[in-house]
Coordinates of all heavy atoms in Angstrom, one line a residue:
R37 N -27.3 -100.7 -3.4 CA -27.9 -101.7 -4.3 C -26.8 -102.6 -5.0 O -27.1 -103.7 -5.5 CB -28.9 -101.1 -5.3 CG -30.1 -100.7 -4.6 CD -31.2 -100.2 -5.6 NE -32.1 -99.4 -5.0 CZ -32.3 -98.1 -5.2 NH1 -31.5 -97.4 -6.0 NH2 -33.2 -97.4 -4.6
S38 N -25.6 -102.1 -5.1 CA -24.6 -102.8 -5.9 C -24.3 -104.1 -5.2 O -23.9 -105.1 -5.8 CB -23.3 -102.0 -6.0 OG -22.7 -101.8 -4.8
G39 N -24.5 -104.2 -3.9 CA -24.2 -105.4 -3.1 C -25.3 -106.5 -3.3 O -25.2 -107.6 -2.8
D40 N -26.4 -106.1 -3.9 CA -27.5 -107.0 -4.1 C -27.4 -108.0 -5.2 O -28.1 -108.9 -5.4 CB -28.9 -106.3 -4.3 CG -29.3 -105.5 -3.0 OD1 -28.7 -105.8 -2.0 OD2 -30.1 -104.6 -3.2
G41 N -26.4 -107.8 -6.0 CA -26.1 -108.7 -7.1 C -26.7 -108.3 -8.5 O -26.5 -109.0 -9.5
W42 N -27.5 -107.3 -8.5 CA -28.2 -106.9 -9.8 C -27.2 -106.5 -10.9 O -27.5 -106.6 -12.0 CB -29.1 -105.7 -9.5 CG -30.2 -106.1 -8.6 CD1 -30.4 -105.7 -7.3 CD2 -31.3 -107.0 -8.9 NE1 -31.5 -106.2 -6.8 CE2 -32.1 -107.0 -7.7 CE3 -31.7 -107.7 -10.0 CZ2 -33.3 -107.8 -7.7 CZ3 -32.9 -108.4 -9.9 CH2 -33.7 -108.5 -8.8
Y43 N -26.0 -106.1 -10.5 CA -25.0 -105.6 -11.5 C -24.1 -106.7 -12.0 O -23.4 -106.5 -13.0 CB -24.2 -104.4 -10.9 CG -25.0 -103.3 -10.4 CD1 -24.7 -102.8 -9.2 CD2 -26.0 -102.7 -11.2 CE1 -25.5 -101.7 -8.7 CE2 -26.7 -101.7 -10.7 CZ -26.5 -101.1 -9.5 OH -27.2 -100.1 -9.0
Y44 N -24.1 -107.8 -11.4 CA -23.3 -108.9 -11.8 C -23.5 -109.3 -13.3 O -22.5 -109.5 -14.1 CB -23.5 -110.2 -11.0 CG -23.1 -110.0 -9.5 CD1 -23.5 -110.9 -8.6 CD2 -22.4 -108.9 -9.1 CE1 -23.2 -110.8 -7.2 CE2 -22.1 -108.7 -7.7 CZ -22.5 -109.7 -6.8 OH -22.1 -109.6 -5.5
P45 N -24.7 -109.4 -13.8 CA -24.9 -109.8 -15.2 C -24.3 -108.7 -16.2 O -23.8 -109.0 -17.2 CB -26.4 -109.9 -15.4 CG -26.9 -110.2 -14.1 CD -26.0 -109.5 -13.1
F46 N -24.4 -107.5 -15.7 CA -23.8 -106.4 -16.6 C -22.3 -106.5 -16.7 O -21.7 -106.1 -17.7 CB -24.3 -105.0 -16.1 CG -25.7 -104.8 -16.1 CD1 -26.5 -104.7 -14.9 CD2 -26.4 -104.7 -17.3 CE1 -27.9 -104.6 -15.0 CE2 -27.8 -104.5 -17.4 CZ -28.5 -104.5 -16.2
V47 N -21.7 -106.9 -15.6 CA -20.2 -107.1 -15.7 C -19.9 -108.2 -16.7 O -18.9 -108.0 -17.5 CB -19.6 -107.4 -14.3 CG1 -18.2 -107.8 -14.3 CG2 -19.9 -106.3 -13.3
V48 N -20.6 -109.3 -16.7 CA -20.4 -110.4 -17.6 C -20.6 -109.8 -19.1 O -19.7 -110.1 -20.0 CB -21.3 -111.6 -17.4 CG1 -21.1 -112.6 -18.5 CG2 -21.0 -112.2 -16.0
V49 N -21.6 -109.1 -19.3 CA -21.9 -108.6 -20.7 C -20.7 -107.6 -21.1 O -20.2 -107.6 -22.2 CB -23.2 -107.9 -20.7 CG1 -23.4 -107.1 -22.0 CG2 -24.4 -108.9 -20.6
L50 N -20.3 -106.8 -20.1 CA -19.2 -105.8 -20.4 C -18.0 -106.6 -20.7 O -17.2 -106.3 -21.7 CB -19.0 -104.9 -19.2 CG -17.9 -103.9 -19.3 CD1 -18.3 -102.9 -20.4 CD2 -17.7 -103.2 -18.0
L51 N -17.7 -107.7 -20.0 CA -16.5 -108.5 -20.3 C -16.6 -109.2 -21.6 O -15.6 -109.4 -22.3 CB -16.3 -109.5 -19.2 CG -15.6 -109.0 -17.9 CD1 -15.6 -110.1 -16.9 CD2 -14.2 -108.6 -18.2
L52 N -17.8 -109.6 -22.0 CA -18.0 -110.2 -23.3 C -17.6 -109.3 -24.5 O -17.0 -109.7 -25.5 CB -19.5 -110.6 -23.6 CG -19.9 -111.9 -23.0 CD1 -21.4 -112.1 -23.1 CD2 -19.2 -113.1 -23.6
F53 N -17.8 -108.0 -24.3 CA -17.4 -107.0 -25.3 C -15.9 -106.6 -25.2 O -15.3 -106.3 -26.2 CB -18.3 -105.8 -25.2 CG -19.7 -106.1 -25.7 CD1 -20.7 -106.1 -24.9 CD2 -19.9 -106.3 -27.1 CE1 -22.0 -106.4 -25.3 CE2 -21.2 -106.5 -27.5 CZ -22.3 -106.6 -26.6
T54 N -15.4 -106.5 -24.0 CA -14.0 -106.0 -23.8 C -13.0 -107.1 -23.7 O -11.9 -106.9 -24.2 CB -14.0 -105.1 -22.5 OG1 -14.3 -105.9 -21.4 CG2 -14.9 -103.9 -22.7
H55 N -13.3 -108.2 -23.1 CA -12.4 -109.4 -22.9 C -13.1 -110.7 -23.1 O -13.4 -111.4 -22.1 CB -11.7 -109.3 -21.5 CG -10.9 -108.1 -21.3 ND1 -11.4 -106.9 -20.9 CD2 -9.6 -107.9 -21.3 CE1 -10.5 -106.0 -20.7 NE2 -9.3 -106.6 -21.0
P56 N -13.5 -111.0 -24.3 CA -14.4 -112.2 -24.5 C -13.8 -113.5 -23.9 O -14.6 -114.3 -23.4 CB -14.5 -112.3 -26.0 CG -14.0 -111.0 -26.6 CD -13.2 -110.4 -25.5
G57 N -12.5 -113.7 -24.0 CA -11.9 -114.9 -23.5 C -12.0 -115.1 -22.0 O -12.0 -116.2 -21.5
Q58 N -12.2 -114.0 -21.3 CA -12.2 -114.1 -19.8 C -13.7 -114.0 -19.3 O -13.9 -114.3 -18.1 CB -11.4 -112.9 -19.2 CG -9.9 -113.0 -19.5 CD -9.2 -111.8 -19.0 OE1 -9.8 -110.8 -18.7 NE2 -7.9 -111.9 -18.9
A59 N -14.6 -113.7 -20.1 CA -16.0 -113.5 -19.7 C -16.6 -114.8 -19.1 O -17.2 -114.8 -18.0 CB -16.9 -113.0 -20.8
F60 N -16.4 -115.9 -19.7 CA -16.9 -117.2 -19.3 C -16.2 -117.7 -18.0 O -16.9 -118.3 -17.1 CB -17.0 -118.2 -20.4 CG -17.9 -117.9 -21.5 CD1 -17.5 -117.4 -22.7 CD2 -19.3 -118.0 -21.3 CE1 -18.4 -117.1 -23.7 CE2 -20.2 -117.7 -22.2 CZ -19.8 -117.2 -23.4
A61 N -15.0 -117.4 -17.9 CA -14.2 -117.8 -16.7 C -14.8 -117.0 -15.5 O -15.0 -117.5 -14.4 CB -12.7 -117.6 -16.8
F62 N -15.0 -115.7 -15.8 CA -15.6 -114.8 -14.7 C -17.0 -115.3 -14.4 O -17.3 -115.3 -13.2 CB -15.6 -113.4 -15.2 CG -16.2 -112.4 -14.2 CD1 -15.5 -111.9 -13.2 CD2 -17.6 -112.1 -14.4 CE1 -16.1 -111.1 -12.2 CE2 -18.2 -111.2 -13.5 CZ -17.5 -110.7 -12.4
L63 N -17.7 -115.7 -15.3 CA -19.1 -116.1 -15.1 C -19.1 -117.3 -14.2 O -19.9 -117.4 -13.2 CB -19.8 -116.4 -16.4 CG -21.3 -116.9 -16.3 CD1 -22.2 -115.9 -15.6 CD2 -21.8 -117.3 -17.6
G64 N -18.2 -118.3 -14.4 CA -18.1 -119.5 -13.5 C -17.7 -119.1 -12.1 O -18.4 -119.6 -11.2
V65 N -16.8 -118.2 -12.0 CA -16.4 -117.8 -10.6 C -17.5 -117.0 -10.0 O -17.8 -117.2 -8.8 CB -15.1 -117.0 -10.7 CG1 -14.7 -116.3 -9.4 CG2 -13.9 -117.8 -11.2
A66 N -18.1 -116.1 -10.7 CA -19.2 -115.3 -10.2 C -20.4 -116.2 -9.7 O -20.9 -116.0 -8.6 CB -19.7 -114.3 -11.2
L67 N -20.7 -117.2 -10.5 CA -21.8 -118.1 -10.1 C -21.5 -118.9 -8.8 O -22.3 -119.1 -7.9 CB -22.2 -119.1 -11.2 CG -22.9 -118.4 -12.4 CD1 -23.1 -119.4 -13.5 CD2 -24.3 -117.9 -12.0
A68 N -20.2 -119.4 -8.8 CA -19.8 -120.2 -7.6 C -19.8 -119.2 -6.3 O -20.2 -119.6 -5.2 CB -18.4 -120.8 -7.8
S69 N -19.3 -118.0 -6.5 CA -19.2 -117.0 -5.4 C -20.6 -116.7 -5.0 O -20.9 -116.6 -3.7 CB -18.5 -115.8 -5.9 OG -17.2 -116.0 -6.2
F70 N -21.5 -116.4 -5.9 CA -22.9 -116.1 -5.5 C -23.6 -117.2 -4.8 O -24.3 -117.0 -3.9 CB -23.7 -115.6 -6.7 CG -25.0 -115.0 -6.4 CD1 -25.0 -113.8 -5.8 CD2 -26.2 -115.6 -6.7 CE1 -26.3 -113.2 -5.5 CE2 -27.4 -115.0 -6.4 CZ -27.4 -113.8 -5.8
A71 N -23.3 -118.5 -5.3 CA -24.0 -119.6 -4.6 C -23.5 -119.8 -3.2 O -24.3 -120.3 -2.3 CB -23.6 -120.9 -5.5
S72 N -22.3 -119.5 -2.9 CA -21.8 -119.6 -1.5 C -22.0 -118.3 -0.7 O -22.2 -118.4 0.5 CB -20.3 -119.9 -1.5 OG -19.5 -118.9 -2.1
E73 N -22.1 -117.2 -1.4 CA -22.3 -115.9 -0.7 C -23.7 -115.8 0.0 O -23.7 -115.4 1.2 CB -22.2 -114.8 -1.7 CG -22.6 -113.4 -1.2 CD -22.7 -112.4 -2.3 OE1 -22.7 -112.7 -3.5 OE2 -22.8 -111.2 -1.9
L74 N -24.7 -116.3 -0.6 CA -26.1 -116.1 0.0 C -26.2 -116.9 1.3 O -26.7 -116.4 2.3 CB -27.1 -116.5 -1.1 CG -28.6 -116.2 -0.7 CD1 -28.7 -114.7 -0.4 CD2 -29.5 -116.6 -1.8
P75 N -25.9 -118.2 1.3 CA -26.0 -118.9 2.6 C -25.1 -118.4 3.7 O -25.5 -118.3 4.8 CB -25.6 -120.4 2.2 CG -25.6 -120.5 0.8 CD -25.5 -119.1 0.2
V76 N -23.9 -118.0 3.3 CA -23.0 -117.4 4.4 C -23.6 -116.1 4.9 O -23.6 -115.8 6.1 CB -21.6 -117.2 3.8 CG1 -20.7 -116.3 4.7 CG2 -20.9 -118.5 3.5
Y77 N -24.1 -115.2 4.0 CA -24.7 -114.0 4.3 C -25.9 -114.2 5.3 O -26.0 -113.5 6.3 CB -25.2 -113.2 3.1 CG -26.2 -112.1 3.4 CD1 -25.7 -110.9 3.9 CD2 -27.6 -112.3 3.2 CE1 -26.6 -109.9 4.2 CE2 -28.4 -111.2 3.5 CZ -28.0 -110.1 4.0 OH -28.8 -109.0 4.3
K78 N -26.8 -115.1 5.0 CA -27.9 -115.4 5.9 C -27.5 -115.9 7.2 O -28.0 -115.5 8.3 CB -28.8 -116.5 5.2 CG -29.5 -116.0 3.9 CD -30.6 -115.1 4.3 CE -31.4 -114.8 3.0 NZ -32.5 -113.9 3.2
L79 N -26.5 -116.8 7.2 CA -25.9 -117.3 8.5 C -25.4 -116.2 9.4 O -25.7 -116.1 10.6 CB -24.9 -118.4 8.2 CG -24.2 -119.0 9.4 CD1 -25.3 -119.9 10.2 CD2 -23.1 -119.9 9.0
V80 N -24.5 -115.4 8.8 CA -23.9 -114.3 9.5 C -24.9 -113.3 10.0 O -24.8 -112.8 11.1 CB -22.7 -113.6 8.7 CG1 -22.2 -112.4 9.4 CG2 -21.6 -114.6 8.5
K81 N -25.8 -112.9 9.1 CA -26.8 -112.0 9.5 C -27.7 -112.4 10.7 O -28.0 -111.6 11.6 CB -27.8 -111.7 8.3 CG -28.8 -110.6 8.6 CD -29.6 -110.3 7.3 CE -30.7 -109.4 7.7 NZ -30.6 -108.1 7.1
N82 N -28.0 -113.7 10.7 CA -28.7 -114.2 11.9 C -27.9 -114.4 13.1 O -28.4 -114.3 14.2 CB -29.4 -115.6 11.5 CG -30.5 -115.4 10.6 OD1 -31.2 -114.4 10.6 ND2 -30.7 -116.3 9.7
M83 N -26.6 -114.5 13.0 CA -25.7 -114.7 14.1 C -25.4 -113.3 14.8 O -25.1 -113.2 16.0 CB -24.4 -115.4 13.8 CG -24.6 -116.9 13.5 SD -23.1 -117.7 12.9 CE -21.8 -117.1 14.0
V84 N -25.3 -112.3 13.9 CA -24.8 -111.0 14.4 C -26.0 -109.9 14.3 O -25.9 -109.0 13.5 CB -23.6 -110.5 13.5 CG1 -23.0 -109.2 14.1 CG2 -22.6 -111.6 13.5
K85 N -27.0 -110.2 15.0 CA -28.1 -109.2 15.0 C -27.8 -108.0 15.8 O -27.1 -108.1 16.8 CB -29.4 -109.9 15.6 CG -29.9 -111.0 14.7 CD -31.4 -110.7 14.5 CE -31.9 -111.9 13.6 NZ -32.8 -111.5 12.7
R86 N -28.2 -106.9 15.3 CA -27.9 -105.6 16.0 C -29.1 -104.7 15.7 O -29.8 -104.8 14.8 CB -26.6 -105.0 15.6 CG -26.6 -104.6 14.1 CD -25.3 -103.9 13.7 NE -25.2 -103.7 12.3 CZ -25.7 -102.6 11.7 NH1 -26.3 -101.7 12.3 NH2 -25.5 -102.5 10.4
D87 N -29.2 -103.7 16.6 CA -30.2 -102.6 16.3 C -29.8 -101.8 15.1 O -28.6 -101.6 14.9 CB -30.3 -101.7 17.6 CG -31.0 -102.4 18.7 OD1 -31.7 -103.3 18.5 OD2 -30.7 -101.9 19.9
R88 N -30.7 -101.4 14.4 CA -30.5 -100.5 13.2 C -30.0 -99.2 13.8 O -30.4 -98.8 14.8 CB -31.7 -100.3 12.4 CG -32.3 -101.6 11.8 CD -31.4 -102.4 11.0 NE -31.0 -101.6 9.8 CZ -30.0 -101.9 9.0 NH1 -29.2 -102.9 9.3 NH2 -29.7 -101.1 8.0
P89 N -29.1 -98.5 13.1 CA -28.5 -97.3 13.6 C -29.6 -96.2 13.9 O -29.5 -95.5 14.9 CB -27.6 -96.8 12.4 CG -27.2 -98.0 11.7 CD -28.4 -98.9 11.8
F90 N -30.6 -96.1 13.1 CA -31.6 -95.1 13.4 C -32.4 -95.4 14.7 O -33.1 -94.5 15.2 CB -32.6 -94.9 12.2 CG -33.4 -96.1 11.8 CD1 -34.6 -96.3 12.5 CD2 -33.0 -97.0 10.8 CE1 -35.4 -97.5 12.1 CE2 -33.7 -98.1 10.5 CZ -34.9 -98.3 11.2
V91 N -32.4 -96.6 15.1 CA -33.1 -97.0 16.4 C -32.1 -96.7 17.6 O -32.6 -96.2 18.6 CB -33.4 -98.5 16.4 CG1 -33.9 -98.9 17.8 CG2 -34.4 -98.8 15.3
K92 N -30.9 -96.9 17.4 CA -29.9 -96.8 18.5 C -29.4 -95.4 18.7 O -29.1 -94.9 19.8 CB -28.8 -97.7 18.2 CG -27.9 -98.0 19.4 CD -27.2 -99.3 19.3 CE -26.5 -99.6 20.6 NZ -26.4 -101.0 20.8
L93 N -29.2 -94.6 17.6 CA -28.6 -93.3 17.6 C -29.7 -92.2 17.7 O -30.5 -92.1 16.8 CB -27.7 -93.0 16.4 CG -26.5 -94.0 16.3 CD1 -25.8 -93.7 15.0 CD2 -25.6 -93.9 17.4
P94 N -29.7 -91.4 18.7 CA -30.7 -90.3 18.8 C -30.5 -89.2 17.7 O -29.4 -89.0 17.3 CB -30.5 -89.7 20.2 CG -29.1 -90.1 20.6 CD -28.8 -91.4 19.8
G95 N -31.6 -88.7 17.2 CA -31.5 -87.6 16.3 C -31.3 -88.0 14.8 O -31.2 -87.2 14.0

Side-chain angles (χ1 to χ4, degrees):
R37 288 187 198 110
S38 70
D40 295 342
W42 296 107
Y43 302 131
Y44 297 165
F46 297 112
V47 173
V48 174
V49 170
L50 182 65
L51 281 174
L52 278 171
F53 289 108
T54 60
H55 297 79
Q58 297 174 342
F60 290 104
F62 176 82
L63 179 61
V65 171
L67 288 174
S69 298
F70 191 68
S72 62
E73 172 189 11
L74 191 59
V76 170
Y77 165 76
K78 294 284 188 183
L79 180 68
V80 170
K81 183 174 174 112
N82 288 326
M83 287 175 48
V84 186
K85 291 232 181 218
R86 63 177 174 85
D87 289 335
R88 302 301 297 164
F90 63 85
V91 171
K92 197 159 190 151
L93 299 174

